[in-house]
Amino acid sequence: MGLNDSSPGTMRNGRGLSDQWAESVVVRPRTTERHITVHKRLVLGFALSIITLIIVTVVAVVLSLRFEDCGGRDRKGSTGEVGSRGSGGSGKLNGNRGERTGERGDEETVQPWKNSRLPGSIRPRHYDLRLAVYMDNFTFSGEVSIELECINATRFIVLHTDRLEVQTAGGRGFSPGGGVMRIHRHFSYPTNQMYVVVLHRELKPMRVYRLNISFDAAIEDELLGFFRSSYTLQRERRYLAVTQFSPIHARKAFPCFDEPVYKATFSLTLRHDPQYTSLSNMPVESSGPADEDGWVTNRFGRTPRMSTYYLAWAVCNFTYREAQTDGGVTIRLYARPDAISSGAGDYALHITKRLLGFYEDYFKVQYSLPKLDLLAVPKHPYAAMENWGLSVFVEQKILLDSEVSSSSYKMELTMVVVHEICHQWFGDLVTPVWWEDVWLKEGFAHFFEYVGTDFLFPKWNMEKQRFLTDVLHEVMLLDGLSSSHPISQEVEQATDIDRVFDWIAYKKVKSFEDFRHQRVWDYLLSHMYSNAARDDLWSKLSEAMRSDGRDIDIGDMMDRWTLQMGYPVVTISKNQSEQLPTHYITVSQEHFLYGEEVRKNISLQWQVPLTVAVGNASSVCLESLIWINNKTETHGIGQMDDNTWLLGNINQTGYFRVNYDLHNWKLLIQQLHSHPQIISVGNRAGLIDDAFNLARAGYLPQGVPLQLIGYLPEETSFLPWHAASRALYQLDKLLDRTDDYRLFSDYVLKQVASRYHQMGWPTNGPGSEGSVLPTSYQTEELQRELIMLACSFGNKQCHRQAVAYISDWISSNKNRIPPNIRDIVYCTGVSLMDEDVWEFIWMKFHSTNAVSEKKILLEALTCSDNTFLLNRLLNLSLTSDLVPEQDVIDVIIHVGRNPQGRSLAWKYFREKWDILNARYGEALFMNSKLISGVTEFLNTERELSELKEFTESGGIGAGPALPRALEIVEGNVRWHRLHRRQFYQWLRKPPSSTFG
């Protein structure tokens, strides 16, 4: 390992020595004979050098360090070469650790590599990284030259490596006086995934140095670091390799300072077989001619300053479609050649072009790079990754076949693309200082994806309506658990990082909605190409408030929302005191939690902005804003009488639930039954969601939400139906194995029947103009929601229609099922029909090339009532190549959602946990998604005991997902014990019954 000390003046732009080093490097040959030859030289060298201690020291330095002035020599003859992969190259380096035991006193006391975070004495300024990629044996070799700036005097250079075999390192440096700087020793510390260089002399503050390292590694098959994937084209299996570095996996591909705050610039050179194309964050700057073995060398442009986990590259033989923005940014979408030729990538390419211009205007900050590539890969651990200039997507989230894709699939794909484009500003340009504030990029990208989608498709009404059910309602389910966590939470160990990447970090930013337009561009401009923490955001928002004449300390107010877990339930009651006028109300807050026992042990308070409306049978009369700072407060609101109802959290702009006294609930329910349009669509959806969750948590009698949804036959808007269906499906999974289940399903069908028959089924085929979306998106979504409810809860006519569609498909071999309801029809048909239909769907799954069609066909296979077929599918998913690797988790989860398969999936999950954890354990979301999906509907005492046993004995590596799952299952069992009887009692009473 080498360190060149140069004055700040000669290295200020970070290019000179970098280019010189890059031109001198020769990529290591791969032949085994050369490794053997070099290894013999090492053995001989050490045998001869044992004569004296002085000779041992000299030979050790010569053999372990490749000097910069030797950089141009072919590595076949390099004295620094060590053995081939697995022959102990890194072990030889570690073997030097005991040579100078007399000089190690200070090391034993300092040992910065034993801390979980890098020490901060050294900062990288620029990486010059050269890689040779061998797709024939899935390995790669690399050399990196890192330009370093010394911040504090130190003898230690500590950086990250993981699963890399360091082969040689460059090492001649010069102090200001010209003396040689020597390496004392260097070694890996696997516990913290660190590599340590110990020097004889301290590095000087304010000086710039250079560290050169060469290394080898495997192109893994586990979806992290630099990993490989494959696809089939014309019956030929083809391979590609791509990176996934977030959050801490750049260290698997090259030695680096792998923490977000250590931003630097990067120059990348890739050498590979000419049959492949190579991509990276920046365009190709120069492409060298094929060398003697026919390989090509591509050198990419120097990146802006960015964190290591945003560096990306890919080696593939994809083709592309191209577009260009008005500002001159080149956009390309790369995918399988057959996907490109079919036009499957055209939609994503089109909306990306529009979005770049929109966000540049919205944020008032230009996109920073000359190009943006979108790469569609067959498998990936996440939906997508926002690498700057090279965003990577799993195929299902970016390729669209307009002939077979549903509107819901198109909406989901759109929002993934919009989310990743937004990250080019929130994340790539301005990056959180540390993972505790990951919501600064994920939360805001998730919010602005609704803003961007609204720009693309205003009729979808995403920002104002779907945000409520798809974001707010979903995250409040998770955040209502005692195992929840604050948005900002401490992250000490690398293993803790998984905890912060969940839906709370992504979706809880709803509570900041009122600040979204407060000059967000100031925040971006102030921290572009740098890092930011939450206090930086609060500071900018407070400045914006003061400029508008409002002296509000945003940080003081928002810390209660970001540094406390959960959210409050605000209870509004009309004043009952004779000492106060009738226009006063009592407002109280407490921490909302699903477990009654847990609530007694937790006491938190928030500063709550509560909007309150006063209404009656014909109009909403008044709306007021009240700030709640205490547990209980009294406020004047306006004149009221016994027939006046109160409605809180208007249009759900606040992140909290609202409860009322039972009389007010009765008045609101009467209003919904008589004239629902008096209450806005968003508030109708909010009342449904609040009522069901308050009842489930024990704040309300079980009959309140059931009586409330009795108005649904008159509901014509999609959003309240969507909120109701989410709540009803949760109850369905709690009740679907109980003896009285028919009481519940009949009640749901009663609410659905009239609107379902009125809406009917869509016409055959895609829209009349060849578009996936018809004129009225909201109407189509409501129609789909009603068909799903009808078929799921057993409507006979719905079942007959689904069976007719499947039968027609089988007999004619023409799929006339409308794309928007194919998933419903496929699942219903498989559940009702015989094994031959299952085999037919299985065959179609393998024969189709449309990724959206593959997804719903595979999910349909999990709907069978035949446990033999479900077991067969579970076993095939993990033990064969017939089910794509990224779909295995979805198969297990969907089998678990099937009442006939729940116990099968739960058993299979426990038996195969070690295999599943080894395959998916390091990928964010994968394990938590699997654990949550398999366990969330367990609800018997026996299943709870099995989960406890698994948690205590077998759930190693599951992280926080298992405690959360245990709390959910405990809540399910508790609901059955405390509330199921009351729930069914209400259903047995006539419709006019009281709450009960």
Side-chain angles (χ1 to χ4, degrees):
M1 296 189 176
L3 302 118
N4 286 348
D5 180 2
S6 54
S7 67
T10 60
M11 287 294 295
R12 200 169 298 276
N13 65 6
R15 292 180 182 270
L17 286 179
S18 174
D19 293 338
Q20 175 185 346
W21 177 86
E23 292 168 1
S24 70
V25 172
V26 176
V27 178
R28 181 181 60 84
R30 289 186 295 151
T31 49
T32 305
E33 290 80 1
R34 293 177 181 178
H35 284 302
I36 294 172
T37 301
V38 172
H39 205 57
K40 288 180 179 177
R41 291 178 181 176
L42 283 175
V43 174
L44 179 60
F46 276 110
L48 295 175
S49 66
I50 203 168
I51 300 172
T52 66
L53 180 61
I54 301 298
I55 296 178
V56 169
T57 304
V58 172
V59 173
V61 170
V62 171
L63 290 177
S64 65
L65 304 178
R66 180 174 59 81
F67 290 82
E68 284 226 1
D69 58 9
C70 299
R73 296 168 56 183
D74 189 293
R75 292 173 69 179
K76 178 178 178 180
S78 169
T79 58
E81 184 71 30
V82 294
S84 62
R85 188 185 310 283
S87 64
S90 58
K92 177 67 190 75
L93 295 176
N94 289 338
N96 295 330
R97 292 178 62 175
E99 290 180 6
R100 295 180 178 268
T101 54
E103 300 177 21
R104 295 176 58 187
D106 61 330
E107 298 173 30
E108 297 301 332
T109 57
V110 177
Q111 296 186 329
W113 54 89
K114 291 192 175 180
N115 296 322
S116 59
R117 299 279 297 274
L118 294 176
S121 300
I122 301 291
R123 295 184 63 89
R125 300 197 345 176
H126 179 73
Y127 294 81
D128 205 331
L129 176 62
R130 295 176 59 92
L131 299 174
V133 181
Y134 310 113
M135 295 297 291
D136 56 344
N137 63 1
F138 303 120
T139 63
F140 67 102
S141 60
E143 301 191 2
V144 62
S145 177
I146 312 175
E147 180 186 311
L148 305 170
E149 179 183 0
C150 181
I151 307 300
N152 300 310
T154 182
R155 291 180 55 232
F156 307 110
I157 300 176
V158 183
L159 68 166
H160 289 110
T161 62
D162 183 22
R163 307 183 194 181
L164 300 178
E165 293 193 13
V166 175
Q167 297 294 352
T168 63
R172 184 179 182 186
F174 299 92
S175 67
V180 175
M181 298 179 62
R182 292 184 300 158
I183 305 290
H184 171 42
R185 65 186 185 115
H186 42 88
F187 56 92
S188 64
Y189 188 69
T191 301
N192 287 336
Q193 299 177 348
M194 290 180 180
Y195 204 86
V196 185
V197 180
V198 185
L199 306 174
H200 279 288
R201 299 177 183 174
E202 286 187 337
L203 302 179
K204 306 291 185 181
M206 304 299 293
R207 296 207 174 267
V208 178
Y209 301 84
R210 185 170 300 281
L211 173 66
N212 301 332
I213 307 173
S214 63
F215 55 93
D216 293 331
I219 301 174
E220 302 285 359
D221 190 28
E222 61 177 30
L223 308 182
L224 296 170
F226 187 28
F227 70 91
R228 66 182 184 268
S229 181
S230 66
Y231 63 97
T232 301
L233 184 66
Q234 298 175 346
R235 298 185 179 181
E236 175 191 357
R237 182 170 290 277
R238 296 189 177 187
Y239 289 93
L240 64 142
V242 66
T243 58
Q244 171 54 42
F245 290 162
S246 177
I248 54 169
H249 305 294
R251 64 193 69 178
K252 288 182 170 65
F254 66 106
C256 57
F257 295 77
D258 202 13
E259 292 179 7
V261 74
Y262 292 104
K263 285 195 169 187
T265 55
F266 296 81
S267 296
L268 174 68
T269 301
L270 289 176
R271 181 175 177 272
H272 54 80
D273 190 296
Q275 69 173 296
Y276 294 96
T277 298
S278 55
L279 306 170
S280 188
N281 306 78
M282 298 294 287
V284 174
E285 189 176 70
S286 63
S287 185
D291 52 25
E292 63 273 9
D293 59 4
W295 280 32
V296 296
T297 301
N298 287 331
R299 182 174 180 85
F300 298 88
R302 188 187 186 105
T303 72
R305 289 186 74 243
M306 63 184 191
S307 300
T308 48
Y309 72 91
Y310 282 132
L311 182 66
W313 63 81
V315 177
C316 59
N317 44 22
F318 285 173
T319 54
Y320 66 87
R321 291 280 178 91
E322 181 178 295
Q324 195 165 56
T325 69
D326 294 338
V329 177
T330 300
I331 305 169
R332 289 179 176 177
L333 190 145
Y334 287 84
R336 293 176 284 110
D338 54 335
I340 291 296
S341 62
S342 71
D346 292 354
Y347 172 74
L349 185 66
H350 170 69
I351 64 172
T352 298
K353 177 182 175 179
R354 294 183 61 199
L355 283 165
L356 276 184
F358 169 74
Y359 279 131
E360 285 180 332
D361 292 340
Y362 192 92
F363 297 141
K364 295 180 170 55
V365 178
Q366 294 296 299
Y367 176 70
S368 303
L369 275 60
K371 64 95 173 176
L372 173 58
D373 292 335
L374 312 176
L375 180 64
V377 297
K379 67 177 183 179
H380 195 266
Y382 317 122
M385 178 61 204
E386 69 273 11
N387 308 307
W388 213 353
L390 178 58
S391 292
V392 181
F393 298 76
V394 69
E395 288 181 339
Q396 292 176 357
K397 303 301 182 183
I398 195 169
L399 300 181
L400 178 76
D401 188 328
S402 60
E403 293 298 316
V404 300
S405 298
S406 67
S407 59
S408 58
Y409 179 86
K410 181 178 181 179
M411 184 187 74
E412 182 180 359
L413 182 152
T414 300
M415 298 192 71
V416 171
V417 174
V418 176
H419 183 98
E420 303 312 316
I421 301 306
C422 185
H423 267 314
Q424 305 299 307
W425 285 266
F426 285 97
D428 298 2
L429 183 66
V430 179
T431 311
V433 170
W434 183 238
W435 300 109
E436 63 192 8
D437 284 330
V438 71
W439 64 269
L440 282 175
K441 73 182 188 77
E442 295 301 344
F444 276 98
H446 197 77
F447 177 81
F448 283 113
E449 79 183 51
Y450 283 80
V451 176
T453 305
D454 244 16
F455 159 74
L456 293 171
F457 300 102
K459 291 183 179 179
W460 290 9
N461 209 10
M462 298 298 294
E463 183 183 356
K464 292 182 175 64
Q465 292 197 5
R466 284 300 288 266
F467 194 100
L468 298 181
T469 54
D470 294 356
V471 178
L472 184 64
H473 295 173
E474 184 173 336
V475 72
M476 291 179 89
L477 284 172
L478 184 63
D479 208 15
L481 301 172
S482 63
S483 55
S484 182
H485 60 79
I487 293 179
S488 295
Q489 54 178 328
E490 290 187 7
V491 176
E492 295 295 335
Q493 306 290 334
T495 52
D496 294 335
I497 294 175
D498 288 5
R499 292 188 294 112
V500 302
F501 279 89
D502 62 14
W503 287 130
I504 291 175
Y506 277 66
K507 297 188 176 185
K508 194 174 176 178
V509 75
K510 168 66 182 176
S511 55
F512 314 140
E513 179 185 0
D514 289 341
F515 310 122
R516 68 186 185 275
H517 299 302
Q518 298 289 343
R519 298 194 304 188
V520 68
W521 54 89
D522 281 355
Y523 167 75
L524 291 172
L525 284 171
S526 299
H527 301 284
M528 59 195 306
Y529 307 112
S530 186
N531 300 82
R534 62 181 177 272
D535 286 343
D536 298 313
L537 177 63
W538 302 152
S539 175
K540 288 299 174 185
L541 294 179
S542 295
E543 288 178 16
M545 289 289 190
R546 284 193 291 272
S547 68
D548 292 340
R550 292 181 289 175
D551 189 13
I552 299 177
D553 186 342
I554 298 296
D556 181 61
M557 180 180 71
M558 295 311 299
D559 277 350
R560 296 197 187 187
W561 294 95
T562 60
L563 302 181
Q564 291 183 166
M565 72 178 211
Y567 55 88
V569 52
V570 175
T571 301
I572 305 173
S573 303
K574 291 180 182 177
N575 179 55
Q576 303 297 321
S577 172
E578 296 181 357
Q579 299 176 358
L580 292 172
T582 57
H583 61 274
Y584 273 77
I585 61 171
T586 300
V587 183
S588 62
Q589 64 162 302
E590 67 173 293
H591 187 185
F592 177 90
L593 287 168
Y594 286 102
E596 293 98 318
E597 297 91 341
V598 181
R599 290 200 289 269
K600 301 174 183 177
N601 303 320
I602 299 179
S603 178
L604 298 175
Q605 282 184 232
W606 290 261
Q607 189 174 359
V608 182
L610 174 66
T611 49
V612 181
V614 178
N616 55 38
S618 59
S619 64
V620 177
C621 306
L622 182 67
E623 185 175 324
S624 304
L625 173 63
I626 300 170
W627 283 94
I628 307 170
N629 299 290
N630 304 300
K631 284 286 186 181
T632 303
E633 298 179 1
T634 302
H635 292 273
I637 199 67
Q639 203 65 36
M640 297 178 290
D641 58 36
D642 290 342
N643 295 318
T644 303
W645 45 258
L646 297 164
L647 183 65
N649 196 15
I650 305 304
N651 292 320
Q652 295 196 279
T653 54
Y655 186 73
F656 50 90
R657 298 198 184 279
V658 181
N659 195 9
Y660 309 92
D661 59 80
L662 288 180
H663 179 67
N664 197 76
W665 275 112
K666 182 178 180 180
L667 292 173
L668 287 169
I669 290 172
Q670 288 174 352
Q671 183 68 62
L672 290 173
H673 282 251
S674 62
H675 195 182
Q677 283 71 28
I678 292 295
I679 299 174
S680 70
V681 170
N683 280 318
R684 298 201 299 269
L687 282 170
I688 292 170
D689 186 70
D690 278 349
F692 273 102
N693 283 281
L694 289 167
R696 182 166 181 175
Y699 292 92
L700 277 180
Q702 300 302 304
V704 172
L706 293 172
Q707 190 165 356
L708 188 152
I709 64 169
Y711 94 96
L712 284 176
E714 305 303 318
E715 180 59 73
T716 59
S717 296
F718 165 71
L719 201 66
W721 274 106
H722 192 49
S725 68
R726 289 169 61 89
L728 292 171
Y729 288 130
Q730 288 286 327
L731 283 170
D732 180 61
K733 299 308 177 187
L734 277 177
L735 299 168
D736 60 11
R737 295 181 292 175
T738 61
D739 294 337
D740 293 325
Y741 174 73
R742 187 65 178 269
L743 282 171
F744 173 63
S745 62
D746 285 349
Y747 184 76
V748 174
L749 289 176
K750 180 181 178 181
Q751 314 311 316
V752 172
S754 63
R755 187 61 55 186
Y756 161 72
H757 289 296
Q758 182 181 0
M759 296 291 293
W761 285 61
T763 56
N764 290 353
S768 58
E769 299 177 358
S771 170
V772 173
L773 291 178
T775 303
S776 174
Y777 168 77
Q778 297 293 334
T779 299
E780 182 168 319
E781 284 297 277
L782 175 58
Q783 184 182 57
R784 170 184 163 80
E785 197 79 58
L786 291 166
I787 292 171
M788 184 178 294
L789 282 165
C791 280
S792 298
F793 284 93
N795 180 283
K796 299 300 182 185
Q797 193 277 336
C798 191
H799 285 179
R800 286 194 298 270
Q801 183 67 56
V803 169
Y805 266 127
I806 294 290
S807 300
D808 175 70
W809 185 17
I810 294 173
S811 61
S812 67
N813 202 29
K814 292 183 179 179
N815 191 342
R816 300 184 178 94
I817 306 170
N820 205 40
I821 57 169
R822 283 189 177 182
D823 56 338
I824 305 170
V825 172
Y826 293 173
C827 182
T828 304
V830 168
S831 68
L832 296 174
M833 303 171 79
D834 59 23
E835 185 175 341
D836 290 341
V837 173
W838 194 94
E839 296 290 352
F840 176 80
I841 297 294
W842 176 252
M843 177 191 68
K844 291 296 182 182
F845 165 71
H846 289 290
S847 63
T848 185
N849 290 321
V851 291
S852 62
E853 188 76 354
K854 271 189 176 294
K855 179 178 183 293
I856 62 174
L857 285 166
L858 182 60
E859 290 177 0
L861 294 168
T862 69
C863 298
S864 175
D865 285 347
N866 187 322
T867 55
F868 170 79
L869 293 175
L870 294 176
N871 257 325
R872 175 185 167 191
L873 183 62
L874 285 171
N875 288 316
L876 286 172
S877 68
L878 201 57
T879 60
S880 74
D881 294 331
L882 298 176
V883 175
E885 184 176 342
Q886 71 270 17
D887 293 328
V888 172
I889 286 178
D890 286 333
V891 168
I892 300 173
I893 289 173
H894 280 84
V895 170
R897 289 177 179 172
N898 182 339
Q900 305 303 318
R902 194 162 304 154
S903 59
L904 297 177
W906 173 226
K907 182 173 182 287
Y908 189 81
F909 165 80
R910 285 174 290 157
E911 291 176 349
K912 305 297 182 181
W913 168 250
D914 290 340
I915 299 173
L916 291 166
N917 189 44
R919 181 182 293 188
Y920 304 110
E922 280 196 89
L924 297 176
F925 286 126
M926 285 286 199
N927 259 359
S928 59
K929 176 184 176 182
L930 174 62
I931 292 168
S932 172
V934 170
T935 61
E936 64 179 326
F937 300 123
L938 303 179
N939 54 56
T940 68
E941 293 283 0
R942 179 178 58 82
E943 289 166 342
L944 176 58
S945 297
E946 290 170 347
L947 178 58
K948 287 180 177 178
E949 180 181 350
F950 177 75
T951 302
E952 294 168 359
S953 60
I956 299 172
L962 269 181
R964 185 184 302 135
L966 187 60
E967 182 183 356
I968 291 172
V969 176
E970 286 174 340
N972 294 343
V973 173
R974 181 172 56 248
W975 186 89
H976 275 277
R977 185 177 69 250
L978 299 178
H979 304 304
R980 185 177 75 184
R981 183 178 177 184
Q982 182 192 69
F983 183 89
Y984 277 132
Q985 281 178 342
W986 190 93
L987 288 174
R988 290 188 179 95
K989 294 180 180 180
S992 60
S993 65
T994 58
F995 298 146

